[in-house]
Amino acid sequence: MTTKEIETIHERAVLSLDNRGLKTAFDTLQEYFVLPKAYPFLDELNDLQYTYRQLLHYYSQGSKDPLQSKIRNDITASAYELADKMKQTLLTDYSSKTYYRVRRENILPASVRTIMETVRSSSDNRDYTLAGPSIAQLFKHIWASPYLSEDDAKILHNSIKANSRERDDIREYDQLTIFNCQIVSALILGLQELFDRRKMILLFEAAESAAESVKLRAFTGILLTLFLYRNRIGCYAEIHHRLDNLTETAGFGKIVYMIIQRFILSRETEKISNKLRDEILPEMIKMNPKFNPNITLKNLSEDDLENNMNPEWMDKLADSPLGKKLEEFNKLQEEGADVMHSTFVHLKNFPFFREMSNWFIPFDRGLLTITEDDAIIKSLEIITNIGLMCNSDLYSLYFSMKQIPEKGRQMMIGQLESQLVQVKRQKTAELQTRDNRTERIVGQYIQDLYRFYKLYQYRGEFGDIFAERLDFHNLPILKPYFSNSEDLVNIAEHYLRKNYFEDALVIYERLEKESDGDEMLYQKTGYCRQMMGDYEGALSEYAKAELMNPDNKWLLQRSAQCCRRLKLTEQAIDYYLRYEKIEKENLSALLNIGSCYLEMKNYNEALKYYFKVDYLDRDGVKAWRPIAWCSFLTGKYDHSRNYYNKILSHQPETHDYMNAGHTEWALQNISGAIEFYRKSLQAAGSDYEKFRSEFERDIPELAAAGIDVADIPLLLDKVLYPPE
């Protein structure tokens, strides 16, 4: 049996359990017994089946057992765990993944107790040369141990409970806090591989830690684990009890909201990176040819560092489209978006990042291999306290700066510090508040996670959590605790601003059910449906809002748009006419009314509105094209010719030349028509098939204008011949 077949059987069994199909799951697990290694689990599977059959027997006899639900939950939980254990045992022999290879080659550390003693000793002596490897050892032990022993869990529990609150200054991180941060990250990764009740309980204990960095990492891990095992978590009463207790923690709702917000922002990371690579950097290269986006810190020379920007370039930049993109970029950074990811993509190849645990370790000077670079550390600590970079990127920057020659390094540090002074001044007041510190730690940790899942050399062995829709607020187990309407509205607004309409809709519909009728909720629910292409659903929601506010211009516009999409043109006109009564000279409404009449082939009525737009918008060209076309359709060819002449003198498009040709043909000016058709073909990139396809769509209108359809092939052939 291949590893893929082993994993597929496990997936099918788990899916059956997710759907509460115990019998199907048991039958699926039987397929493992073609392998001798599976036989130690046969008795356990038979016991579970026997217990379940007894339960079904009593149920079929009409017996009412008050413990029936609990017994079924216990059997289901045991079945999940049995499926996991069988998969783990079989893959340990066959899988090439590092997770199984570590166990197969017996290279796990001896015990948590032994490691803890080493750490305690190095902590007492501030000996970081011992602490670093010990932390990495413990991380590997927690991650790759399928199930923690009771003794290991107790030792880890004692370490977490012994934690004191770390200070705000990064230099004051105590080693126990760093150690416990790594314990939490190892628990999170271990739980991603396999559900272990003891690991989950330890996360809940860490979420009550006095150290903010430990606590917030644990909160993040709990949410991720609840999401990953959302279908089985209901089988564990103890986890429900722990969650009940955690919700009593001060600021529980705010912390969960911050984590949700940061995961929403993480969806934007690839878009931001692509925008930077495809739009901003090419523009910067055009404006400054010496700018090299591919240069790394270690390649910088003194000349590079002295090459300051020209003030004239900056003035030019501020008024350019690039300046607007950079301004948008800065706003994203202020919002907390991960704008640094693309900068550090190529700076994760240092030996430091070969050790899995180092992707999660808080930035701390004591863990670095040298002590003489106080200037570098000072600069990085400023960045850390401001919250500009995550821990992983700070280590990347440190190792990169180490490779710059001493003189150039000092110059770069000086420039870096001068640029950070203003930012530090702006951020100092924020750092005094607990909420901002909390938000900074949460943001940095989620970015550390993002770097790991996207850039770690063996990332393919891990399920990418950032590829999932992490809608923690929709988890059944969290809904009772996370139902504050203000927080839910804020999350929905976040989704809405980022154009995640489906996610926003789920929340708005939930809030709508719980409200007594809220116009804004109806509007936003309708808007999400409209943006998702559900125009009937959107109209239904807009109609509810319209009952409360019948003269809302935004609602009238949106309802009209949906009607047009549904080809309900008469209803669309009705909405636009109501809009016109409120705002008589709104050009957009007038144009839309004209367009609706045009769709209904009421050309004379359409012209009335287009002429009104042309009168009100004397400096614009909004109505020229529809006036020219409607004039052609109503036989007013001279009028049409006048407007096409105006259009062709003002940024003409391909179809303008074609329509001008139609007009000339209707006026019996065949040579003029041929000339315009040739220009249309040229504007279409000489793509004759495209030109002919567009031309043929207009044949009914040409026939209505009195043109003999039999002449069309002659004229089109003439267009293809070069002018005489």
Side-chain angles (χ1 to χ4, degrees):
M1 187 177 289
T2 65
T3 56
K4 181 63 179 173
E5 288 170 332
I6 292 170
E7 289 171 346
T8 300
I9 290 172
H10 179 265
E11 287 168 8
R12 285 168 42 222
V14 167
L15 183 61
S16 295
L17 292 170
D18 290 346
N19 294 324
R20 297 298 178 255
L22 276 166
K23 172 65 166 63
T24 309
F26 293 146
D27 291 345
T28 303
L29 291 178
Q30 291 281 1
E31 297 175 30
Y32 277 139
F33 291 105
V34 297
L35 297 172
K37 281 270 187 179
Y39 274 92
F41 300 101
L42 183 58
D43 288 344
E44 188 174 350
L45 178 60
N46 288 337
D47 288 345
L48 283 176
Q49 292 200 80
Y50 175 78
T51 305
Y52 187 53
R53 289 174 71 177
Q54 289 294 105
L55 178 70
L56 294 177
H57 172 74
Y58 287 118
Y59 170 75
S60 65
Q61 296 299 312
S63 301
K64 297 292 183 183
D65 187 344
L67 295 177
Q68 177 180 295
S69 179
K70 180 184 180 304
I71 294 169
R72 194 177 192 286
N73 270 347
D74 290 344
I75 295 171
T76 304
S78 296
Y80 273 120
E81 290 170 10
L82 177 59
D84 289 346
K85 284 187 289 187
M86 294 181 78
K87 171 192 156 188
Q88 288 275 315
T89 299
L90 298 175
L91 286 180
T92 299
D93 276 353
Y94 296 102
S95 178
S96 60
K97 284 176 65 175
T98 309
Y99 179 77
Y100 296 104
R101 182 178 57 79
V102 166
R103 297 215 300 270
R104 188 166 60 245
E105 296 174 5
N106 198 26
I107 55 178
L108 281 176
S111 71
V112 169
R113 188 180 298 278
T114 304
I115 302 168
M116 291 294 285
E117 287 172 359
T118 305
V119 171
R120 194 173 293 114
S121 171
S122 62
S123 180
D124 292 342
N125 301 316
R126 299 295 285 176
D127 185 351
Y128 292 104
T129 57
L130 282 175
S134 297
I135 291 173
Q137 267 196 317
L138 183 69
F139 192 101
K140 190 175 291 183
H141 184 95
I142 296 170
W143 168 62
S145 295
Y147 296 98
L148 285 179
S149 68
E150 188 175 348
D151 186 52
D152 283 353
K154 186 175 180 180
I155 294 166
L156 295 174
H157 162 86
N158 291 337
S159 175
I160 290 166
K161 289 300 179 184
N163 216 160
S164 59
R165 188 185 301 275
E166 79 272 13
R167 299 181 190 175
D168 286 353
D169 191 330
I170 196 69
R171 288 170 295 183
E172 299 296 332
Y173 256 121
D174 63 78
Q175 190 170 329
L176 185 58
T177 297
I178 294 172
F179 197 66
N180 285 333
C181 282
Q182 292 299 83
I183 288 175
V184 169
S185 292
L187 290 169
I188 293 170
L189 284 193
L191 283 162
Q192 295 294 300
E193 293 284 354
L194 172 73
F195 184 79
D196 179 358
R197 186 185 55 81
R198 287 194 176 112
K199 288 179 183 176
M200 187 65 176
I201 297 306
L202 282 168
L203 278 185
F204 278 107
E205 291 174 353
E208 297 171 357
S209 172
E212 198 83 338
S213 294
V214 176
K215 171 182 176 177
L216 296 173
R217 281 166 168 76
F219 260 87
T220 305
I222 288 168
L223 291 180
L224 287 171
T225 309
L226 291 177
F227 178 86
L228 182 63
Y229 298 104
R230 54 195 176 277
N231 293 310
R232 75 162 76 176
I233 215 76
C235 299
Y236 297 92
E238 185 179 7
I239 289 173
H240 280 270
H241 177 66
R242 291 277 184 170
L243 190 57
D244 277 333
N245 291 340
L246 188 62
T247 59
E248 300 299 321
T249 304
F252 171 83
K254 280 187 178 179
I255 293 171
V256 173
Y257 171 71
M258 284 179 187
I259 294 170
I260 290 171
Q261 182 188 39
R262 288 293 177 158
F263 273 112
I264 294 172
L265 283 171
S266 74
R267 295 190 189 185
E268 298 292 295
T269 303
E270 290 303 320
K271 294 180 190 174
I272 293 168
S273 297
N274 292 339
K275 193 179 188 74
L276 184 66
R277 184 189 67 241
D278 300 335
E279 298 178 30
I280 294 177
L281 291 181
E283 288 295 321
M284 292 182 77
I285 292 169
K286 284 180 191 175
M287 296 185 75
N288 180 8
K290 289 185 178 180
F291 177 76
N292 182 0
N294 297 315
I295 197 166
T296 60
L297 289 170
K298 66 182 180 181
N299 299 128
L300 285 173
S301 67
E302 241 176 279
D303 290 338
D304 295 316
L305 295 166
E306 291 174 353
N307 187 23
N308 293 324
M309 293 183 190
N310 188 325
E312 293 178 7
W313 180 49
M314 293 307 292
D315 292 338
K316 182 181 175 184
L317 177 64
D319 299 326
S320 69
L322 173 59
K324 292 181 176 63
K325 288 175 184 175
L326 289 172
E327 186 179 345
E328 179 189 347
F329 203 67
N330 289 332
K331 286 179 181 176
L332 286 167
Q333 186 171 21
E334 288 171 13
E335 189 181 22
D338 187 355
V339 299
M340 305 298 290
H341 175 67
S342 61
T343 306
F344 289 92
V345 163
H346 303 295
L347 295 176
K348 302 297 181 187
N349 296 320
F350 297 103
F352 177 82
F353 292 108
R354 291 175 195 160
E355 182 61 61
M356 186 169 70
S357 60
N358 287 341
W359 289 79
F360 307 99
I361 198 161
F363 183 79
D364 181 73
R365 69 186 306 162
L367 294 171
L368 300 173
T369 54
I370 50 90
T371 56
E372 69 271 14
D373 291 309
D374 285 342
I376 296 179
I377 302 300
K378 182 182 175 185
S379 297
L380 296 182
E381 285 169 351
I382 292 172
I383 296 171
T384 304
N385 282 318
I386 292 172
L388 289 178
M389 293 182 193
C390 63
N391 298 286
S392 171
D393 289 352
L394 283 164
Y395 282 113
S396 292
L397 187 58
Y398 166 76
F399 289 116
S400 296
M401 290 173 78
K402 277 289 293 171
Q403 297 189 19
I404 300 172
E406 180 65 25
K407 192 173 180 182
R409 187 193 313 161
Q410 295 305 320
M411 190 176 299
M412 182 179 182
I413 289 168
Q415 288 189 349
L416 184 62
E417 287 186 357
S418 66
Q419 290 171 16
L420 289 172
V421 167
Q422 183 61 32
V423 183
K424 185 180 181 184
R425 207 174 283 138
Q426 292 171 354
K427 294 280 186 178
T428 299
E430 296 178 10
L431 291 174
Q432 305 307 315
T433 68
R434 180 180 175 278
D435 280 357
N436 279 296
R437 173 171 165 73
T438 299
E439 192 169 357
R440 176 168 59 88
I441 294 170
V442 167
Q444 287 176 326
Y445 187 58
I446 290 174
Q447 288 178 11
D448 285 333
L449 285 168
Y450 193 91
R451 304 292 185 276
F452 174 77
Y453 281 101
K454 300 295 183 181
L455 303 176
Y456 179 50
Q457 61 180 333
Y458 298 122
R459 58 189 175 276
E461 296 184 1
F462 296 83
D464 184 0
I465 60 172
F466 291 95
E468 300 280 350
R469 178 183 289 171
L470 299 171
D471 54 344
F472 305 119
H473 48 282
N474 290 327
L475 293 177
I477 195 170
L478 274 179
K479 274 189 178 181
Y481 312 107
F482 197 71
S483 55
N484 180 289
S485 60
E486 185 179 345
D487 285 340
L488 288 172
V489 166
N490 287 336
I491 293 169
E493 295 293 318
H494 231 76
Y495 280 131
L496 203 60
R497 284 200 304 275
K498 301 300 179 186
N499 296 333
Y500 298 121
F501 302 113
E502 190 174 345
D503 297 283
L505 179 62
V506 173
I507 299 176
Y508 286 134
E509 288 184 329
R510 173 180 169 184
L511 291 169
E512 194 177 305
K513 288 176 184 176
E514 297 168 359
S515 74
D516 296 326
D518 185 315
E519 181 199 343
M520 294 304 290
L521 281 178
Y522 293 140
Q523 284 188 19
K524 289 175 180 177
T525 303
Y527 178 72
C528 289
R529 288 196 174 281
Q530 182 180 0
M531 299 310 289
M532 292 166 61
D534 178 11
Y535 302 112
E536 288 183 359
L539 265 179
S540 175
E541 295 298 327
Y542 290 150
K544 296 175 191 174
E546 193 183 336
L547 290 173
M548 301 177 181
N549 191 353
D551 295 327
N552 184 290
K553 291 186 292 185
W554 184 89
L555 269 176
L556 293 172
Q557 269 190 322
R558 287 286 165 182
S559 297
Q561 289 169 3
C562 290
C563 287
R564 291 191 72 181
R565 288 283 190 172
L566 294 167
K567 307 298 182 186
L568 304 173
T569 311
E570 290 184 15
Q571 286 180 236
I573 287 180
D574 180 60
Y575 281 114
Y576 284 128
L577 290 173
R578 285 168 58 191
Y579 187 101
E580 186 196 9
K581 287 179 182 177
I582 301 168
E583 194 172 330
K584 295 185 182 300
E585 296 186 353
N586 184 279
L587 299 182
S588 176
L590 295 171
L591 278 170
N592 279 309
I593 294 170
S595 298
C596 287
Y597 280 123
L598 180 59
E599 288 173 15
M600 296 170 66
K601 302 188 184 304
N602 189 344
Y603 306 127
N604 289 317
E605 200 65 28
L607 273 171
K608 289 180 186 178
Y609 281 92
Y610 289 139
F611 280 130
K612 187 174 181 179
V613 171
D614 197 34
Y615 173 78
L616 294 171
D617 186 37
R618 297 193 179 192
D619 297 328
V621 296
K622 290 184 174 67
W624 288 0
R625 285 186 176 89
I627 288 174
W629 184 242
C630 278
S631 297
F632 173 80
L633 294 173
T634 53
K636 300 170 183 175
Y637 304 122
D638 287 328
H639 213 131
S640 179
R641 172 189 274 172
N642 290 337
Y643 270 91
Y644 276 121
N645 286 337
K646 290 164 69 173
I647 293 167
L648 295 177
S649 66
H650 187 277
Q651 299 178 343
E653 298 174 4
T654 306
H655 66 273
D656 294 326
Y657 290 113
M658 182 175 289
N659 291 342
H662 295 340
T663 304
E664 294 303 316
W665 199 357
L667 287 165
Q668 303 299 312
N669 180 12
I670 297 176
S671 61
I674 291 169
E675 182 182 349
F676 281 128
Y677 288 145
R678 282 177 176 150
K679 287 182 179 179
S680 178
L681 177 59
Q682 185 179 4
S686 299
D687 184 343
Y688 181 70
E689 290 305 317
K690 180 181 177 182
F691 168 83
R692 186 183 181 93
S693 174
E694 291 182 5
F695 187 98
E696 288 177 348
R697 280 203 295 267
D698 294 340
I699 288 177
E701 284 75 19
L702 292 173
I707 293 167
D708 188 346
V709 175
D711 291 344
I712 290 175
L714 296 174
L715 185 134
L716 290 180
D717 280 343
K718 180 62 178 173
V719 168
L720 287 174
Y721 279 103
E724 295 176 0

mmCIF file of all heavy atoms in Angstrom, residues 680-707:
data_model
loop_
_atom_site.group_PDB
_atom_site.id
_atom_site.type_symbol
_atom_site.label_atom_id
_atom_site.label_comp_id
_atom_site.label_asym_id
_atom_site.label_seq_id
_atom_site.Cartn_x
_atom_site.Cartn_y
_atom_site.Cartn_z
ATOM 1 N N SER A 680 -11.158 51.616 -39.155
ATOM 2 C CA SER A 680 -11.656 50.750 -38.087
ATOM 3 C C SER A 680 -10.858 49.453 -38.034
ATOM 4 O O SER A 680 -10.473 48.972 -36.956
ATOM 5 C CB SER A 680 -13.138 50.437 -38.304
ATOM 6 O OG SER A 680 -13.619 49.572 -37.303
ATOM 7 N N LEU A 681 -10.604 48.869 -39.231
ATOM 8 C CA LEU A 681 -9.815 47.643 -39.308
ATOM 9 C C LEU A 681 -8.394 47.883 -38.793
ATOM 10 O O LEU A 681 -7.846 47.067 -38.045
ATOM 11 C CB LEU A 681 -9.774 47.148 -40.753
ATOM 12 C CG LEU A 681 -8.924 45.907 -41.043
ATOM 13 C CD1 LEU A 681 -9.406 44.712 -40.223
ATOM 14 C CD2 LEU A 681 -8.947 45.579 -42.535
ATOM 15 N N GLN A 682 -7.828 49.010 -39.140
ATOM 16 C CA GLN A 682 -6.475 49.355 -38.684
ATOM 17 C C GLN A 682 -6.451 49.527 -37.159
ATOM 18 O O GLN A 682 -5.535 49.060 -36.484
ATOM 19 C CB GLN A 682 -6.012 50.642 -39.375
ATOM 20 C CG GLN A 682 -4.571 51.019 -39.070
ATOM 21 C CD GLN A 682 -4.159 52.293 -39.809
ATOM 22 O OE1 GLN A 682 -4.974 52.930 -40.483
ATOM 23 N NE2 GLN A 682 -2.905 52.665 -39.684
ATOM 24 N N ALA A 683 -7.480 50.201 -36.629
ATOM 25 C CA ALA A 683 -7.553 50.416 -35.177
ATOM 26 C C ALA A 683 -7.728 49.098 -34.419
ATOM 27 O O ALA A 683 -7.358 48.985 -33.248
ATOM 28 C CB ALA A 683 -8.704 51.360 -34.847
ATOM 29 N N ALA A 684 -8.284 48.095 -35.115
ATOM 30 C CA ALA A 684 -8.470 46.769 -34.509
ATOM 31 C C ALA A 684 -7.226 45.906 -34.654
ATOM 32 O O ALA A 684 -7.289 44.684 -34.456
ATOM 33 C CB ALA A 684 -9.665 46.078 -35.137
ATOM 34 N N GLY A 685 -6.104 46.517 -35.025
ATOM 35 C CA GLY A 685 -4.859 45.765 -35.178
ATOM 36 C C GLY A 685 -4.849 44.919 -36.425
ATOM 37 O O GLY A 685 -4.174 43.878 -36.457
ATOM 38 N N SER A 686 -5.617 45.337 -37.426
ATOM 39 C CA SER A 686 -5.729 44.601 -38.706
ATOM 40 C C SER A 686 -6.235 43.178 -38.513
ATOM 41 O O SER A 686 -5.957 42.285 -39.320
ATOM 42 C CB SER A 686 -4.370 44.584 -39.434
ATOM 43 O OG SER A 686 -3.948 45.904 -39.732
ATOM 44 N N ASP A 687 -6.987 42.970 -37.434
ATOM 45 C CA ASP A 687 -7.598 41.661 -37.168
ATOM 46 C C ASP A 687 -8.937 41.615 -37.916
ATOM 47 O O ASP A 687 -9.972 42.068 -37.410
ATOM 48 C CB ASP A 687 -7.800 41.485 -35.660
ATOM 49 C CG ASP A 687 -8.333 40.106 -35.303
ATOM 50 O OD1 ASP A 687 -8.854 39.410 -36.205
ATOM 51 O OD2 ASP A 687 -8.255 39.732 -34.119
ATOM 52 N N TYR A 688 -8.912 41.052 -39.132
ATOM 53 C CA TYR A 688 -10.100 41.096 -39.978
ATOM 54 C C TYR A 688 -11.259 40.287 -39.390
ATOM 55 O O TYR A 688 -12.423 40.690 -39.505
ATOM 56 C CB TYR A 688 -9.779 40.583 -41.389
ATOM 57 C CG TYR A 688 -10.974 40.628 -42.316
ATOM 58 C CD1 TYR A 688 -11.477 41.850 -42.774
ATOM 59 C CD2 TYR A 688 -11.613 39.454 -42.711
ATOM 60 C CE1 TYR A 688 -12.587 41.901 -43.603
ATOM 61 C CE2 TYR A 688 -12.729 39.494 -43.542
ATOM 62 C CZ TYR A 688 -13.211 40.717 -43.986
ATOM 63 O OH TYR A 688 -14.326 40.769 -44.799
ATOM 64 N N GLU A 689 -10.966 39.159 -38.763
ATOM 65 C CA GLU A 689 -12.041 38.334 -38.192
ATOM 66 C C GLU A 689 -12.789 39.092 -37.099
ATOM 67 O O GLU A 689 -14.015 39.034 -37.005
ATOM 68 C CB GLU A 689 -11.468 37.023 -37.643
ATOM 69 C CG GLU A 689 -10.979 36.059 -38.713
ATOM 70 C CD GLU A 689 -12.064 35.741 -39.738
ATOM 71 O OE1 GLU A 689 -13.228 35.521 -39.330
ATOM 72 O OE2 GLU A 689 -11.755 35.724 -40.940
ATOM 73 N N LYS A 690 -12.034 39.797 -36.285
ATOM 74 C CA LYS A 690 -12.658 40.599 -35.231
ATOM 75 C C LYS A 690 -13.497 41.721 -35.853
ATOM 76 O O LYS A 690 -14.636 41.978 -35.441
ATOM 77 C CB LYS A 690 -11.579 41.179 -34.317
ATOM 78 C CG LYS A 690 -12.121 42.034 -33.187
ATOM 79 C CD LYS A 690 -10.991 42.589 -32.341
ATOM 80 C CE LYS A 690 -11.523 43.505 -31.243
ATOM 81 N NZ LYS A 690 -10.427 44.112 -30.434
ATOM 82 N N PHE A 691 -12.901 42.397 -36.855
ATOM 83 C CA PHE A 691 -13.608 43.480 -37.539
ATOM 84 C C PHE A 691 -14.905 42.962 -38.168
ATOM 85 O O PHE A 691 -15.973 43.561 -38.017
ATOM 86 C CB PHE A 691 -12.691 44.077 -38.621
ATOM 87 C CG PHE A 691 -13.391 44.986 -39.581
ATOM 88 C CD1 PHE A 691 -13.627 46.308 -39.263
ATOM 89 C CD2 PHE A 691 -13.813 44.509 -40.836
ATOM 90 C CE1 PHE A 691 -14.287 47.155 -40.165
ATOM 91 C CE2 PHE A 691 -14.466 45.334 -41.735
ATOM 92 C CZ PHE A 691 -14.710 46.661 -41.400
ATOM 93 N N ARG A 692 -14.823 41.827 -38.872
ATOM 94 C CA ARG A 692 -15.996 41.280 -39.568
ATOM 95 C C ARG A 692 -17.080 40.864 -38.569
ATOM 96 O O ARG A 692 -18.274 41.085 -38.807
ATOM 97 C CB ARG A 692 -15.575 40.081 -40.421
ATOM 98 C CG ARG A 692 -16.709 39.540 -41.296
ATOM 99 C CD ARG A 692 -16.289 38.318 -42.077
ATOM 100 N NE ARG A 692 -17.394 37.853 -42.902
ATOM 101 C CZ ARG A 692 -17.602 38.200 -44.158
ATOM 102 N NH1 ARG A 692 -16.731 39.016 -44.763
ATOM 103 N NH2 ARG A 692 -18.638 37.743 -44.840
ATOM 104 N N SER A 693 -16.650 40.259 -37.427
ATOM 105 C CA SER A 693 -17.613 39.828 -36.412
ATOM 106 C C SER A 693 -18.416 41.019 -35.883
ATOM 107 O O SER A 693 -19.642 40.942 -35.737
ATOM 108 C CB SER A 693 -16.871 39.130 -35.269
ATOM 109 O OG SER A 693 -17.741 38.824 -34.223
ATOM 110 N N GLU A 694 -17.710 42.126 -35.596
ATOM 111 C CA GLU A 694 -18.396 43.316 -35.091
ATOM 112 C C GLU A 694 -19.284 43.931 -36.179
ATOM 113 O O GLU A 694 -20.388 44.416 -35.892
ATOM 114 C CB GLU A 694 -17.374 44.338 -34.598
ATOM 115 C CG GLU A 694 -16.654 43.887 -33.325
ATOM 116 C CD GLU A 694 -15.672 44.923 -32.812
ATOM 117 O OE1 GLU A 694 -15.617 46.027 -33.383
ATOM 118 O OE2 GLU A 694 -14.950 44.620 -31.844
ATOM 119 N N PHE A 695 -18.808 43.916 -37.397
ATOM 120 C CA PHE A 695 -19.586 44.457 -38.517
ATOM 121 C C PHE A 695 -20.898 43.687 -38.681
ATOM 122 O O PHE A 695 -21.976 44.279 -38.858
ATOM 123 C CB PHE A 695 -18.753 44.391 -39.801
ATOM 124 C CG PHE A 695 -19.390 45.060 -40.984
ATOM 125 C CD1 PHE A 695 -19.032 46.344 -41.334
ATOM 126 C CD2 PHE A 695 -20.358 44.399 -41.750
ATOM 127 C CE1 PHE A 695 -19.624 46.975 -42.434
ATOM 128 C CE2 PHE A 695 -20.956 45.013 -42.837
ATOM 129 C CZ PHE A 695 -20.594 46.309 -43.178
ATOM 130 N N GLU A 696 -20.820 42.366 -38.628
ATOM 131 C CA GLU A 696 -22.006 41.535 -38.881
ATOM 132 C C GLU A 696 -23.083 41.716 -37.814
ATOM 133 O O GLU A 696 -24.268 41.493 -38.082
ATOM 134 C CB GLU A 696 -21.591 40.067 -38.990
ATOM 135 C CG GLU A 696 -20.842 39.765 -40.298
ATOM 136 C CD GLU A 696 -20.348 38.332 -40.391
ATOM 137 O OE1 GLU A 696 -20.384 37.631 -39.344
ATOM 138 O OE2 GLU A 696 -19.912 37.915 -41.482
ATOM 139 N N ARG A 697 -22.682 42.125 -36.615
ATOM 140 C CA ARG A 697 -23.677 42.385 -35.569
ATOM 141 C C ARG A 697 -24.584 43.569 -35.950
ATOM 142 O O ARG A 697 -25.708 43.681 -35.458
ATOM 143 C CB ARG A 697 -22.980 42.668 -34.234
ATOM 144 C CG ARG A 697 -22.517 41.423 -33.508
ATOM 145 C CD ARG A 697 -22.362 41.682 -32.012
ATOM 146 N NE ARG A 697 -21.294 42.653 -31.756
ATOM 147 C CZ ARG A 697 -20.029 42.328 -31.493
ATOM 148 N NH1 ARG A 697 -19.690 41.053 -31.473
ATOM 149 N NH2 ARG A 697 -19.131 43.254 -31.268
ATOM 150 N N ASP A 698 -24.061 44.449 -36.800
ATOM 151 C CA ASP A 698 -24.826 45.650 -37.170
ATOM 152 C C ASP A 698 -25.627 45.481 -38.461
ATOM 153 O O ASP A 698 -26.276 46.441 -38.915
ATOM 154 C CB ASP A 698 -23.869 46.851 -37.343
ATOM 155 C CG ASP A 698 -23.206 47.254 -36.043
ATOM 156 O OD1 ASP A 698 -23.733 46.896 -34.981
ATOM 157 O OD2 ASP A 698 -22.154 47.932 -36.083
ATOM 158 N N ILE A 699 -25.617 44.309 -39.076
ATOM 159 C CA ILE A 699 -26.307 44.111 -40.362
ATOM 160 C C ILE A 699 -27.802 44.440 -40.279
ATOM 161 O O ILE A 699 -28.341 45.107 -41.183
ATOM 162 C CB ILE A 699 -26.065 42.681 -40.898
ATOM 163 C CG1 ILE A 699 -24.608 42.557 -41.396
ATOM 164 C CG2 ILE A 699 -27.044 42.340 -42.021
ATOM 165 C CD1 ILE A 699 -24.229 41.168 -41.884
ATOM 166 N N PRO A 700 -28.532 44.039 -39.198
ATOM 167 C CA PRO A 700 -29.957 44.413 -39.141
ATOM 168 C C PRO A 700 -30.165 45.928 -39.191
ATOM 169 O O PRO A 700 -31.113 46.407 -39.851
ATOM 170 C CB PRO A 700 -30.413 43.827 -37.799
ATOM 171 C CG PRO A 700 -29.473 42.704 -37.535
ATOM 172 C CD PRO A 700 -28.153 43.159 -38.088
ATOM 173 N N GLU A 701 -29.312 46.690 -38.520
ATOM 174 C CA GLU A 701 -29.446 48.154 -38.517
ATOM 175 C C GLU A 701 -29.118 48.721 -39.901
ATOM 176 O O GLU A 701 -29.729 49.702 -40.357
ATOM 177 C CB GLU A 701 -28.530 48.776 -37.458
ATOM 178 C CG GLU A 701 -29.023 48.628 -36.029
ATOM 179 C CD GLU A 701 -28.851 47.223 -35.466
ATOM 180 O OE1 GLU A 701 -28.041 46.450 -36.023
ATOM 181 O OE2 GLU A 701 -29.542 46.898 -34.476
ATOM 182 N N LEU A 702 -28.119 48.115 -40.580
ATOM 183 C CA LEU A 702 -27.775 48.566 -41.925
ATOM 184 C C LEU A 702 -28.941 48.312 -42.889
ATOM 185 O O LEU A 702 -29.264 49.170 -43.742
ATOM 186 C CB LEU A 702 -26.513 47.844 -42.421
ATOM 187 C CG LEU A 702 -25.201 48.189 -41.700
ATOM 188 C CD1 LEU A 702 -24.079 47.270 -42.186
ATOM 189 C CD2 LEU A 702 -24.822 49.645 -41.935
ATOM 190 N N ALA A 703 -29.545 47.153 -42.753
ATOM 191 C CA ALA A 703 -30.698 46.828 -43.616
ATOM 192 C C ALA A 703 -31.836 47.804 -43.367
ATOM 193 O O ALA A 703 -32.506 48.266 -44.314
ATOM 194 C CB ALA A 703 -31.148 45.397 -43.362
ATOM 195 N N ALA A 704 -32.061 48.155 -42.089
ATOM 196 C CA ALA A 704 -33.121 49.109 -41.745
ATOM 197 C C ALA A 704 -32.834 50.494 -42.312
ATOM 198 O O ALA A 704 -33.759 51.287 -42.558
ATOM 199 C CB ALA A 704 -33.275 49.186 -40.223
ATOM 200 N N ALA A 705 -31.533 50.794 -42.528
ATOM 201 C CA ALA A 705 -31.150 52.098 -43.086
ATOM 202 C C ALA A 705 -31.242 52.108 -44.612
ATOM 203 O O ALA A 705 -30.864 53.101 -45.254
ATOM 204 C CB ALA A 705 -29.722 52.446 -42.647
ATOM 205 N N GLY A 706 -31.737 51.020 -45.213
ATOM 206 C CA GLY A 706 -31.945 50.975 -46.653
ATOM 207 C C GLY A 706 -30.766 50.444 -47.438
ATOM 208 O O GLY A 706 -30.760 50.515 -48.681
ATOM 209 N N ILE A 707 -29.777 49.920 -46.767
ATOM 210 C CA ILE A 707 -28.608 49.375 -47.461
ATOM 211 C C ILE A 707 -28.931 47.965 -47.933
ATOM 212 O O ILE A 707 -29.493 47.152 -47.177
ATOM 213 C CB ILE A 707 -27.379 49.386 -46.529
ATOM 214 C CG1 ILE A 707 -26.973 50.847 -46.239
ATOM 215 C CG2 ILE A 707 -26.224 48.599 -47.111
ATOM 216 C CD1 ILE A 707 -25.988 51.003 -45.107
#
